Amino acid sequence: MKLNQFLRTALVACAAVFTIGVSLSTQAPTVSASSATYKTVATTSIKKAPYHKKSSAGAIYNASHTKKVANLKTYPYTTWYATAKVTLKHGSSKALYYKVKNASGSVSGIVWNKYVTPGKSPFGLKYAKSAVALDVNTNNNVWTKNPNTARPIASLSKLMTLYLVRQKIAQGKGTWSSKVNTSNAGLKRLGKSNVFGGFKFNHNSYTVRQLYLAGLIESSNNAAIALGQWVAGGSTPAYNKKFIGMMNNQASEWHLKHSSFVSASGMEQNSLQPYGYSIGASKNANYVSASDIAQISRHFIVDYNDILTDASVKSMKVDGQTLHNYNNLLPGRKYYQKSLKVDGLKTGYTDPAGYCFVGTGRKSGHDRIVTVVLHDENEFTETRSLMNYVYNQNLA
C-alpha cells in the first residue's frame, strides 16, 4: 500500500520573444522583471466557447499580464471557457489572448491563444483499469471507466465486512465492547506475517471496536476475519465461510450484479490456505466492479456516517500497536489537496488486484463524492485528478 507518484515537473510557460510586425504575434511574450509593460489594445466580447490546453506548456495570467495565475499543466483535464478576445501590446508587437475561466469560476485570467485549442477537455485516467465517481447525494455515477467489470479488489473488501459489523451492532446483537475470540492459531500466525500481517493477536480476545479500527485503519486481515466470524456467530473457520455467505447475501439485497465474495479480508484463497481460511471456492479472489464498490461505500457513509471520522485518522495506538492509515490524500500527506477535503475511505493492494483505492470528500459548495480506482499504478494522483475533474465540471 505504499504508493506511486504522479505530477511531472513543470515546463516553462510563455517562453519566446515577440516578433516585430503589423499582424498579431505567433510567439508568446517573454515574462521577466525587465520586460516592458503589457497594454490592452482591444477587448472584444465573444460567445462563451470551450477551450483546453494544447500541450504541457503555457500559463494563465491576470488581466494586466503581471502575475501568473496558473500553469496549464497543473490542470490537465480542465475545460476553460472563453468570453472575450483580448489584444495585448508588448513593446512594438501585439498578441491575441482569450479571457477565460474554469467551469467553477475558481480560476480565471487571460491565456495566449496558441496555448489552447477549441473544444472541451477530454478526460481520462491512464492507469486505472476501472474507475467510478459517484455523487453520494443523487446516487448517480457522474464519471466512469469500465464501471461494471468485476475485478479483484483486495482490501476494499473490508468495507463490506466492516459494514456488516456495524449492522449487527445497530440491530442490537452486539456492542463496541463485545469481546471477539482471537485465539485461533491460524489467525495469530497471520497477524505475525511479514506480508499479510499488521496487527498481532497478542491476546485471545479483543473488543469489536479494537478490531474494527485495526481492520479499517491498518487494514488488518486477521482482524477482518475474526470480526466476520463474530458477525456470523462463532470463532472457527466454519463461521468464516458462513460470514462470506452473508457478504454475498448483502450484495444481493443491494442488487449489486457484479459482486462475488470468497474472502472476508480481501486476501486471495491461495494466500489464505496456509492459515486454514481458504473456503475452497472456484474463484481465487473477491471479484467486484468499481460501480458496486462505490455503492457499498455509499451505503456505509449514509448508514454509518461516523466511518468518516475513523477513516480520517492518520495513525493511532491499539493494544500498544501503531495502526497506520495508508490514505495519502489525508491532511499532511504527500498528495493532500485542501480544497477536496478528503476524509476517507479505504486502500487496498494484492498482486492480482494491483493498487485499489476508494476516496471520498466534499468540496465546499458541492455534493460529497465517492471515487473508486481499481488496478491502478498511481491511485492517489489519479483519484485527485478525478475528484478535481468532477468538481471543476460541476458534475457534483
Side-chain angles (χ1 to χ4, degrees), residues 167-219:
Q167 186 180 73
K168 178 169 180 172
I169 293 173
Q171 292 170 346
K173 298 177 182 178
T175 69
W176 282 130
S177 300
S178 296
K179 293 290 187 178
V180 179
N181 189 316
T182 55
S183 63
N184 181 277
L187 291 186
K188 287 195 172 187
R189 282 191 294 110
L190 178 58
K192 295 176 181 178
S193 166
N194 291 330
V195 177
F196 302 110
F199 183 75
K200 296 179 178 63
F201 283 174
N202 295 322
H203 311 287
N204 289 330
S205 69
Y206 286 88
T207 67
V208 171
R209 178 66 175 167
Q210 287 175 312
L211 296 185
Y212 176 88
L213 292 171
L216 179 63
I217 298 171
E218 178 64 32
S219 201

Side-chain angles (χ1 to χ4, degrees), residues 315-343:
S315 68
M316 68 178 299
K317 293 270 190 182
V318 168
D319 189 36
Q321 302 179 57
T322 299
L323 307 180
H324 179 81
N325 192 330
Y326 292 91
N327 180 353
N328 281 332
L329 286 176
L330 293 175
R333 295 289 175 79
K334 184 173 183 178
Y335 300 103
Y336 171 65
Q337 181 179 326
K338 185 178 180 180
S339 63
L340 296 176
K341 298 185 178 179
V342 172
D343 49 10

Side-chain angles (χ1 to χ4, degrees), residues 6-29:
F6 189 64
L7 296 179
R8 311 296 186 232
T9 54
L11 297 174
V12 179
C14 296
V17 180
F18 266 74
T19 55
I20 300 175
V22 237
S23 58
L24 295 181
S25 172
T26 57
Q27 291 182 302

Side-chain angles (χ1 to χ4, degrees), residues 4-7 77 125 127 329 335 376-388:
N4 304 323
Q5 304 97 328
F6 189 64
L7 296 179
Y77 307 115
L125 297 180
Y127 297 105
L329 286 176
Y335 300 103
D376 206 337
E377 293 180 24
N378 289 288
E379 69 275 34
F380 296 124
T381 52
E382 293 213 316
T383 293
R384 188 171 62 184
S385 292
L386 179 54
M387 287 182 167
N388 277 311

Side-chain angles (χ1 to χ4, degrees), residues 160 164 241-256 259-263 279 286-288:
M160 177 65 93
L164 293 176
K241 188 170 184 178
K242 181 180 177 182
F243 175 72
I244 290 163
M246 296 172 70
M247 296 173 78
N248 286 305
N249 288 341
Q250 187 62 65
S252 295
E253 285 183 27
W254 285 336
H255 306 291
L256 305 183
S259 298
S260 175
F261 291 96
V262 297
S263 163
I279 64 170
N286 295 336
Y287 275 79
V288 184

